[in-house]
């Protein structure tokens, strides 16, 4: 999947709903778990939106092999 491909758009949309889900769809389970846990922990202090946004952008810009 190249940046901007349909797969990355789908991954970004998935991460919009659940942080880390897009990374999981891309086959990156460790970063997916990290983003999910960090977003959940930071929502407690109302800062989870930072990780949530990072998750969406990361899924959209992912290029395999880099």
């Amino acid at each position: 999947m190249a940046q901007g491909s349909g797969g990355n758009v789908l991954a970004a949309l998935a991460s919009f709903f659940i942080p880390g889900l897009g990374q999981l769809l891309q086959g990156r389970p460790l970063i997916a778990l990290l983003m999910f846990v960090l977003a959940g922990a930071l929502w407690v202090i109302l800062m989870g939106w930072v990780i949530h946004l990072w998750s969406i952008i990361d899924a959209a810009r992912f290029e395999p092999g880099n």
Side-chain angles (χ1 to χ4, degrees):
M1 275 187 281
Q3 183 177 342
S5 72
N8 281 6
V9 171
L10 179 62
L13 285 172
S15 284
F16 176 77
F17 292 105
I18 299 174
L21 184 59
Q23 286 76 12
L24 191 61
L25 290 173
Q26 292 171 330
R28 303 185 296 154
L30 293 178
I31 192 73
L33 181 63
L34 175 71
M35 289 185 176
F36 183 76
V37 170
L38 279 176
L42 289 177
W43 273 116
V44 173
I45 58 170
L46 301 177
M47 291 298 293
W49 63 270
V50 173
I51 302 299
H52 203 143
L53 186 59
W54 174 37
S55 175
I56 295 166
I57 293 169
D58 178 66
R61 296 181 50 105
F62 177 68
E63 294 183 34
N66 288 338

